[in-house]
Amino acid sequence: MSGWSRLLEEESEHQWLSFAIFSVIVIIGAVLIDWSSELSGVHEGSTLEVDGIVIDSAGDAILYENGDGVRLAVNDLDQNAQYATCLTQHGKITFACMGDEGSISFVEEGNDFCEESWCLYDIGENLTASQVSGNGQALLMVVQDGTSDSLAAIWINSEDKDPAVTELEAKMYLDVIVPNDEGWLVGGSWQAPVNWLGTNPASPPMFELVISVTWDGVSAPDVEIIYMGNEGTIHGIFETDEGFIATGTSDTISIIGDEISSFGINSYAAAGDNNGDVWLFGGIGSKTVAIISDGDMSIEKLPEPMNIIPTYVNCDEDGMISIHGANSEDKSESLSIDSNARSSFLSMRGILDLGFILVSLLIIGIMSWNIFDAIRKGEVF
């Protein structure tokens, strides 16, 4: 009898040894399975190398805040931008909302004059842009005309610098603009009027809001409210293969054509990766991250609880997600996640899956060999 057979023989002096080895293998397997449930590719630090809390970024431009106030860095230029609110990239042009009345700033790839410094783009008198988004040759802007928010549209590279302005009937605070086939989706919040349904007149509630904006290029942009949710604000809108995902502090919704459905989960910040998935991040102390992929939502466990309140999240061209915010001491910190790592064979989950496949193939191979050997010997089984 072989050594291996003796170890497995009943009532032998080796049976307790074999049972102990089996128990150790089971325990190690359980630990590995638990480890594999944690999200892979999580690291400290960010791909955006600035000393401060990142407010926004687009291309090579980064808007951030440190002890010197709000600053704007692009290429070798780092300047004060105390009233800046947004950055957006449209083709080879990067636009910046600097808080200047009557203009927005831009840099353009291939434009020697505007690669050395920010150039100004005229948007009309008495208007200050806080958000901007391009769609083809059109620009849509959230503008301040006096004390209220409005929407203004203008043609890029047009000699006519008079924008078409839409005065919003309700008081809205609009924070994010994303182009679509019809025009734009705009997200933010709607503020209830004073004494609305018995609410506190000193602080009327604000509700999540998504509006659809279209523009014929001549008249004022047309606005349609397509979603109004619970108290909170929409902080992100991301395009997916099916439609759009709007993320908010109260809920997250799917927008596919005229159909709107709720995921029933809130977030502090969110980002869309290069695979068309949307990542939702909670506040300080959060132990999980939610990922929406192909219309389905999964919850992934973080290796360590979130130690920051996320204020800005972005995904670079390599699929690295950077989460920026402030820790409990109000100091800037960042965290990065490789969005491709969780599906990689190099991750713990991938290694276990690969190991399971190899072991299964080994077992099937041994069983097939035993059957073939029994048939060759003419044995009955």
Side-chain angles (χ1 to χ4, degrees):
M1 182 179 295
S2 67
W4 288 107
S5 298
R6 292 192 184 95
L7 288 176
L8 300 175
E9 183 181 5
E10 289 189 29
E11 304 301 333
S12 74
E13 65 273 16
H14 303 293
Q15 62 180 339
W16 292 109
L17 176 61
S18 62
F19 180 77
I21 294 174
F22 175 75
S23 300
V24 170
I25 293 175
V26 170
I27 294 172
I28 293 175
V31 172
L32 291 176
I33 290 174
D34 181 67
W35 284 354
S36 71
S37 65
E38 295 180 352
L39 186 64
S40 302
V42 180
H43 312 281
E44 291 185 0
S46 166
T47 58
L48 301 178
E49 299 180 356
V50 293
D51 183 17
I53 298 178
V54 175
I55 300 172
D56 204 353
S57 68
D60 296 328
I62 305 174
L63 184 66
Y64 68 101
E65 183 177 9
N66 59 15
D68 297 327
V70 179
R71 302 195 63 81
L72 178 57
V74 61
N75 301 324
D76 296 328
L77 181 66
D78 192 326
Q79 66 184 65
N80 178 62
Q82 194 62 37
Y83 302 105
T85 55
C86 83
L87 287 171
T88 186
Q89 191 169 29
H90 181 56
K92 296 182 178 181
I93 304 175
T94 301
F95 291 100
C97 306
M98 301 289 282
D100 297 325
E101 184 178 297
S103 66
I104 55 177
S105 299
F106 73 94
V107 289
E108 183 177 7
E109 182 182 342
N111 186 331
D112 294 337
F113 180 75
C114 290
E115 281 188 340
E116 298 297 329
S117 63
W118 289 91
C119 297
L120 295 181
Y121 189 84
D122 186 11
I123 61 172
E125 296 181 357
N126 303 320
L127 297 178
T128 303
S130 60
Q131 297 291 331
V132 60
S133 174
N135 192 344
Q137 291 298 310
L139 281 181
L140 180 70
M141 300 169 289
V142 177
V143 296
Q144 298 252 330
D145 183 2
T147 59
S148 61
D149 275 359
S150 303
L151 289 171
I154 192 171
W155 290 112
I156 301 175
N157 297 326
S158 172
E159 294 182 0
D160 182 9
K161 297 301 182 181
D162 292 327
V165 180
T166 294
E167 300 291 341
L168 301 174
E169 296 180 359
K171 195 168 186 178
M172 300 178 185
Y173 296 88
L174 305 175
D175 302 316
V176 56
I177 312 176
V178 175
N180 63 4
D181 293 337
E182 291 75 32
W184 296 267
L185 291 177
V186 184
S189 57
W190 170 80
Q191 186 173 46
V194 176
N195 295 325
W196 183 76
L197 297 180
T199 58
N200 183 1
S203 180
M206 300 173 66
F207 299 87
E208 290 183 337
L209 174 74
V210 178
I211 61 177
S212 174
V213 180
T214 56
W215 186 44
D216 60 9
V218 179
S219 57
D222 185 53
V223 176
E224 178 186 2
I225 296 177
I226 62 174
Y227 169 76
M228 187 176 296
N230 296 322
E231 287 191 48
T233 184
I234 296 293
H235 54 70
I237 302 177
F238 307 96
E239 186 174 7
T240 66
D241 293 336
E242 297 81 18
F244 292 86
I245 300 292
T247 59
T249 56
S250 177
D251 199 358
T252 298
I253 61 170
S254 169
I255 305 172
I256 303 176
D258 296 330
E259 181 181 349
I260 296 177
S261 56
S262 169
F263 285 97
I265 187 171
N266 64 338
S267 59
Y268 276 73
D273 67 15
N274 301 336
N275 303 313
D277 301 338
V278 178
W279 297 61
L280 288 78
F281 299 93
I284 192 167
S286 298
K287 298 180 180 180
T288 59
V289 56
I291 304 173
I292 299 175
S293 178
D294 296 327
D296 296 322
M297 185 176 66
S298 61
I299 304 297
E300 298 282 354
K301 181 181 177 183
L302 293 170
E304 298 290 340
M306 187 84 72
N307 63 343
I308 60 174
I309 299 176
T311 55
Y312 176 73
V313 187
N314 83 302
C315 181
D316 65 19
E317 58 184 10
D318 296 322
M320 187 66 70
I321 297 174
S322 298
I323 307 104
H324 296 263
N327 59 21
S328 57
E329 299 177 353
D330 202 29
K331 295 181 179 180
S332 62
E333 283 195 29
S334 59
L335 186 71
S336 61
I337 301 175
D338 185 353
S339 62
N340 300 312
R342 66 191 188 104
S343 58
S344 171
F345 269 128
L346 297 179
S347 66
M348 178 66 72
R349 186 176 307 175
I351 292 173
L352 288 179
D353 290 342
L354 179 61
F356 175 78
I357 293 172
L358 294 177
V359 171
S360 299
L361 291 175
L362 178 62
I363 293 174
I364 293 174
I366 293 174
M367 293 175 63
S368 300
W369 170 258
N370 289 334
I371 293 173
F372 173 77
D373 189 56
I375 294 175
R376 183 177 60 82
K377 294 178 179 180
E379 297 177 355
V380 178
F381 57 91

